[in-house]
């Protein structure tokens, strides 16, 4: 894009463009390592296209793709154009693409050789000069972790120049506490913590940010958001998909490292944290880390793991995990985890947080449910309230984004019968707008230097501390896998976990 280019015609409402009210990022170069990978195709390029579509990109920029795959500028542009056509949330518009594509360059290198490093540097410098980008650079590490050290060292060596540098690090961020600490050390050898943006894409989801709005922009929730009024909390991250073509990664990770360690614990931290002083990165992350520090499970019996066997998902027969390509036939990798957790602080003492996540469950659903204690003394006959369930505030992170409150209401008629009904807020109905993808928000935030929605080193380390303690207990015995059929809601032992406390998972 050049400075003189005509603005892309607006086709969306100003409301939809809430993001557009933000300041414009400085001119910069975005260097994507892993430019031929899945993430770049499915998420990063569609996100950049969406930002371009909404005129949220900097006035001057360059995007440099780096990968081992042979190719040149034109082949990469063609490949990315296909990806945008396939995965972008907006329809394909040639005029938008024509503004984006000329700013895209490609460098093919495996990075282990110094020659590749130099070629990349020359490419970035030539973009900087051509477009007057002021030396500002965002490096996006969308590569497997073994490639990190070589790349980070190489980038670190070249930091001595004009302009700012920011580094986006994709998950997995380590495999356990020790490796996460080592990775933090590696990053700190060259980068300041302010320059490091550790991605947890759940924090970029609109509905996850809305949790903060719900809690802290409304006076009515905060007074009851505690152990006195809330019986327990349930957090579900359910997926109907299997592991797709990611056996190599997933066999090492399992559900505990893939979802629990990051997305799930972040959802929990946002649910449980104290009101921050302001919405700056430090204030929000200080509060989240306090929650993570006070989080624990009462013991190994409070954590259930599962692995799916064959079954039916959305009417289609699917193989067992152990039958997926690249998975060991006797694999003990878990595809499901449920746990009871406690946040040991003044607000939440003795209030269980039941969490569950898994692959090949009955359907895709991410929800946070706060179940309230029952009314202390309902002045009705017992039969009147037989159909009444406790109040639940349900945050639908996805799909059907929204918030709903379950309350008791009188059934119309002569007698007094009370039944549960729902007060619903649905994004689609209230705002009539498309929901931005998490990566749009997050990439833009990095270009703006806003770190609130990124994970700080101490948060990651606390998250691993908890995971390590759970995994250590698992080493002691061999699980009887598979223990749930694909297309169900997980192993029966997960139900027992709640039944033992006289509770049950939310009905679907
Ligand atoms: C990723 C996990 O971080 O999140 C995947 O590695 C998972 O296994 C994905 O499928 C879920 O993300 P979303 O945004 O589809 O809920």
């Amino acid at each position: 894009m050049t400075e003189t280019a005509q603005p892309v015609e607006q086709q969306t409402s100003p409301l939809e463009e809430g993001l557009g009210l933000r300041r414009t990022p400085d001119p910069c170069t975005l260097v994507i390592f892993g430019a031929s990978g899945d993430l770049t195709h499915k998420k990063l390029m569609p996100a950049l296209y969406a930002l371009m579509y909404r005129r949220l990109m900097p006035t001057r920029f360059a995007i440099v793709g780096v990968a081992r795959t042979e190719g040149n500028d034109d082949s990469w542009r063609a490949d990315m154009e296909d990806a945008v056509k396939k995965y972008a949330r907006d329809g394909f518009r040639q005029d938008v693409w024509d503004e984006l594509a000329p700013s895209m360059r490609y460098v093919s290198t495996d990075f282990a050789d110094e020659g590749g490093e130099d070629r990349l540097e020359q490419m970035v410098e030539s973009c900087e000069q051509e477009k007057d980008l002021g030396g500002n650079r965002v490096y996006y590490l969308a590569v497997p972790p073994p490639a990190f050290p070589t790349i980070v060292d190489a980038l670190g060596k070249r930091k001595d120049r004009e302009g700012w540098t920011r580094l986006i690090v994709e998950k997995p961020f380590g495999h356990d506490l020790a490796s996460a600490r080592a990775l933090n050390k590696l990053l700190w050898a060259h980068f300041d913590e302010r320059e490091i943006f550790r991605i947890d894409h759940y924090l970029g989801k609109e509905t996850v940010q809305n949790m903060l709005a719900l809690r802290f922009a409304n006076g009515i929730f905060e007074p009851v958001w505690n152990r006195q009024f809330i019986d327990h909390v349930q957090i579900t991250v359910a997926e109907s998909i299997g592991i797709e073509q990611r056996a190599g990664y997933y066999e090492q990770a399992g559900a505990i490292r893939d979802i629990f360690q990051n997305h799930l614990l972040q959802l929990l931290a946002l649910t449980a944290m104290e009101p921050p002083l302001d919405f700056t990165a430090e204030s929000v992350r200080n509060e989240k880390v306090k929650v993570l520090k006070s989080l624990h499970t009462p013991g190994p019996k409070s954590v259930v793991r599962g692995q799916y066997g064959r079954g039916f998902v959305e009417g289609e027969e699917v193989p067992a995990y152990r039958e997926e390509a690249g998975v060991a036939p006797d694999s003990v990798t878990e595809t499901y985890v449920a746990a009871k957790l406690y946040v040991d602080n003044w607000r939440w003492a003795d209030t269980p947080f039941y969490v569950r996540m898994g692959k090949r469950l009955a359907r895709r659903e991410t929800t946070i449910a706060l179940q309230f204690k029952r009314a202390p003394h309902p002045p009705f006959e017992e039969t009147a309230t037989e159909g009444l369930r406790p109040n639940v505030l349900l945050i639908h992170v996805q799909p059907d984004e929204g918030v709903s409150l379950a309350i008791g209401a009188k059934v119309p008629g002569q007698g007094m019968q009370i039944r549960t009904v729902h007060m619903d807020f649905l994004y689609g109905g209230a705002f009539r707008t498309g929901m931005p993808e998490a990566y749009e928000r997050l990439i833009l935030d990095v270009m703006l230097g806003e770190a609130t929605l990124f994970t700080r080193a101490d948060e990651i380390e606390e998250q691993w501390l908890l995971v390590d303690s759970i995994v250590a207990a698992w080493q002691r015995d061999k699980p009887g896998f598979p223990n749930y059929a694909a297309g169900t809601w997980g192993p029966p032992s997960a139900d027992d976990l709640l039944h033992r406390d006289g509770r049950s998972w939310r009905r679907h």
Side-chain angles (χ1 to χ4, degrees):
M1 192 175 91
T2 62
E3 269 188 299
T4 51
Q6 289 305 303
V8 173
E9 183 196 335
Q10 291 267 218
Q11 286 198 334
T12 40
S13 73
L15 234 188
E16 178 172 5
E17 304 311 323
L19 267 172
L21 301 176
R22 308 179 74 192
R23 64 195 160 88
T24 317
D26 297 338
C28 63
T29 307
L30 170 64
V31 181
I32 303 174
F33 294 92
S36 58
D38 226 35
L39 187 77
T40 306
H41 283 86
K42 291 187 175 153
K43 300 289 181 190
L44 307 187
M45 208 57 224
L48 290 165
Y49 173 80
L51 292 176
M52 191 73 217
Y53 193 101
R54 290 166 179 74
R55 311 210 59 79
L56 294 168
M57 288 295 278
T59 45
R60 300 187 305 279
F61 67 91
I63 302 168
V64 178
V66 187
R68 270 191 296 201
T69 314
E70 285 292 320
N72 54 35
D73 295 348
D74 286 338
S75 62
W76 190 55
R77 286 175 190 145
D79 185 25
M80 292 298 107
E81 184 176 336
D82 287 345
V84 166
K85 285 179 176 156
K86 203 157 158 201
Y87 299 113
R89 70 180 169 110
D90 307 298
F92 185 77
R93 274 178 51 188
Q94 195 63 47
D95 57 337
V96 178
W97 182 251
D98 289 345
E99 283 204 76
L100 193 61
S103 304
M104 293 168 55
R105 312 299 297 272
Y106 185 73
V107 177
S108 158
T109 168
D110 85 346
F111 226 80
D113 74 292
E114 292 246 342
E117 226 180 284
D118 292 340
R119 271 188 296 125
L120 174 63
E121 184 60 27
Q122 281 159 16
M123 170 71 85
V124 175
E125 278 178 10
S126 84
C127 293
E128 286 173 340
Q129 276 160 19
E130 189 188 320
K131 296 180 168 235
D132 187 18
L133 302 178
N136 299 324
R137 298 184 189 178
V138 176
Y139 296 116
Y140 199 128
L141 295 189
V143 287
F148 286 3
T150 323
I151 299 178
V152 170
D153 282 336
L155 299 180
K157 279 192 302 202
R158 297 177 190 269
K159 266 190 71 200
D160 198 13
R161 37 156 240 284
E162 208 191 313
W164 47 252
T165 304
R166 294 173 192 147
L167 182 70
I168 307 182
V169 188
E170 261 296 335
K171 66 177 275 235
F173 197 95
H175 186 76
D176 53 15
L177 179 58
S179 54
R181 279 194 175 143
L183 181 50
N184 276 328
K185 249 177 106 177
L186 168 76
L187 299 175
W188 290 331
H190 299 291
F191 295 89
D192 193 85
E193 180 66 21
R194 279 180 305 112
E195 297 173 318
I196 304 169
F197 293 76
R198 298 174 192 80
I199 282 225
D200 183 317
H201 79 279
Y202 268 55
L203 294 179
K205 288 184 190 277
E206 198 66 33
T207 39
V208 173
Q209 292 162 56
N210 185 47
M211 166 89 125
L212 298 172
L214 186 78
R215 288 193 59 191
F216 306 128
N218 295 294
I220 59 168
F221 295 118
E222 220 28 45
V224 296
W225 205 272
N226 56 52
R227 64 191 299 275
Q228 277 174 356
F229 294 90
I230 292 176
D231 178 73
H232 72 275
V233 178
Q234 292 188 18
I235 306 181
T236 301
V237 179
E239 293 185 276
S240 57
I241 54 169
I243 53 158
E244 302 187 295
Q245 276 75 50
R246 300 161 75 215
Y249 155 75
Y250 201 86
E251 275 279 88
Q252 300 299 316
I256 193 107
R257 295 186 176 87
D258 188 43
I259 300 282
F260 180 93
Q261 187 272 343
N262 38 77
H263 309 326
L264 191 118
L265 291 182
Q266 284 291 325
L267 292 180
L268 192 153
L270 290 174
T271 310
M273 75 185 207
E274 295 300 314
L277 200 61
D278 50 37
F279 201 54
T280 58
E282 286 320 284
S283 300
V284 172
R285 300 192 293 185
N286 285 347
E287 295 308 333
K288 279 196 294 168
V289 86
K290 283 186 210 159
V291 172
L292 294 166
K293 273 183 197 295
S294 48
L295 198 60
H296 75 102
T297 107
K301 285 210 177 80
S302 298
V303 183
V304 168
R305 55 182 158 155
Q307 187 195 76
Y308 61 85
R310 287 181 192 176
F312 287 84
V313 174
E314 283 146 15
E316 243 181 69
E317 189 165 14
V318 298
Y321 176 70
R322 287 175 176 177
E323 295 166 338
E324 303 270 15
V327 171
D330 56 353
S331 170
V332 290
T333 299
E334 77 291 345
T335 59
Y336 177 97
V337 177
K340 173 158 86 166
L341 302 168
Y342 284 108
V343 180
D344 275 343
N345 64 16
W346 191 272
R347 185 187 285 261
W348 294 115
D350 304 325
T351 311
F353 284 70
Y354 299 104
V355 301
R356 57 179 166 165
M357 70 238 63
K359 296 275 186 198
R360 286 289 190 225
L361 297 181
R363 66 182 153 80
R364 177 170 188 248
E365 175 192 311
T366 301
T367 48
I368 301 166
L370 294 103
Q371 181 162 323
F372 289 84
K373 292 183 175 167
R374 284 190 183 269
H377 175 71
F380 312 106
E381 286 179 23
E382 233 171 75
T383 52
T385 54
E386 269 167 1
L388 181 64
R389 298 196 295 276
N391 297 123
V392 174
L393 182 70
L394 184 62
I395 298 163
H396 293 264
V397 174
Q398 62 190 22
D400 308 326
E401 291 82 358
V403 180
S404 101
L405 181 64
I407 53 171
K410 181 182 174 305
V411 179
Q414 297 307 314
M416 176 54 92
Q417 274 299 318
I418 298 169
R419 228 181 50 201
T420 296
V421 295
H422 295 93
M423 280 166 54
D424 289 327
F425 146 62
L426 275 173
Y427 268 84
F431 295 116
R432 300 181 194 290
T433 132
M435 297 285 269
E437 280 283 330
Y439 281 93
E440 296 169 29
R441 168 74 192 221
L442 296 175
I443 293 173
L444 187 61
D445 275 6
V446 177
M447 293 194 287
L448 289 164
E450 288 179 8
T452 307
L453 300 177
F454 294 82
T455 323
R456 205 169 56 189
D458 49 353
E459 290 179 77
I460 294 253
E461 294 189 4
E462 289 301 332
Q463 290 170 188
W464 278 121
L465 201 59
L466 179 64
V467 168
D468 282 3
S469 72
I470 293 172
V471 173
W474 286 353
Q475 308 306 329
R476 292 199 279 271
D477 53 49
K478 208 161 174 245
F481 285 166
N483 59 357
Y484 71 97
T488 64
W489 281 103
S493 43
D495 293 327
D496 299 340
L497 181 68
L498 271 71
H499 292 167
R500 286 202 296 271
D501 295 347
R503 301 186 175 100
S504 46
W505 291 110
R506 233 174 32 76
R507 277 187 258 148
H508 297 276

